[in-house]
Amino acid sequence: MNEIDDRASCSRIPLKFDFNYQCILEAGETDSESYEFSTEWDLLLELSGPLLDDRGTFQNYISRALDDCPICASWTKRRTPITEASHFTKYQETDYDLYHRSARSVLQNLKTTSALDGERYAGLCEEIAGSGVRVSKGQLLFHGRAIGKEGREFHETKFLSTSLDPVVAINSSLRRAFDPERLEEDKNRSKEVLMIELEKDRLAIWGQYEGSFEREVLLCPPYTFEEVAKERIGEITLMHVLLKD
């Protein structure tokens, strides 16, 4: 197990964006465009609405900033190598839904809980606890999901997969809302993006690898969300929540 730094700071995404464009019609000329936001919540509101079609451009900018983030670099240096985390590797590659179902089954003490459910839940929790990464109080994480007929859940018993990048969460919500397998069960899924603020330090797996835009931060259940703010932009419901025990 790697040593955990109790004094870790928070990683922040940029709130000011300066874009330079090469003009197609006027060879050699450039044009520029700037955006500045007061808070991450303001940025999320714009990315989910007026700037939705431009989110890829913003994601490239955010990605470059996170590549240079010293906090992210310290997580990468400190963490247990992903290749040594067999449960997380399975979770990240193909079995994420299985691990979520196993966690819910174990924590809700369902009669259908199997030994394999227990193995998945305990195994991934152990890897998170031993990952060597502590995400600090006040860190903002983003999570995209599609809410169906079961309604919004504020007490969760599944693993919490989040990203440092709000665009990843927006894309996840859009994708999950139109997942063919989920649509078979519920054709009225609504898109929801959470901006999650940590109320205390949390152990996590930092799942980022070279070439990925995901910037995944994975947390253990159970946990509870406390709503701070909520707004609907077009078809997407946005929520700022506190993550509590």
Side-chain angles (χ1 to χ4, degrees), residues 83-119:
T83 54
E84 296 178 12
S86 60
H87 285 282
F88 178 69
T89 300
K90 292 176 184 176
Y91 167 86
Q92 195 173 51
E93 289 180 351
T94 57
D95 292 350
Y96 46 89
D97 278 336
L98 292 177
Y99 277 88
H100 289 316
R101 290 169 189 159
S102 291
R104 280 180 162 168
S105 184
V106 171
L107 292 173
Q108 294 178 14
N109 198 26
L110 301 181
K111 292 181 180 180
T112 55
T113 303
S114 66
L116 184 55
D117 287 325
E119 179 184 333

Side-chain angles (χ1 to χ4, degrees), residues 14 53 61 64 104 134 159 161-162 166 182 199 212:
D53 291 339
Y61 199 104
R64 289 193 295 270
R104 280 180 162 168
R134 184 185 295 273
F159 290 97
S161 177
T162 70
R182 291 179 171 85
E199 196 174 58
S212 171

Side-chain angles (χ1 to χ4, degrees), residues 132-147:
V133 172
R134 184 185 295 273
V135 184
S136 294
K137 173 183 177 180
Q139 177 67 56
L140 296 178
L141 303 170
F142 300 90
H143 173 70
R145 61 187 188 178
I147 301 300

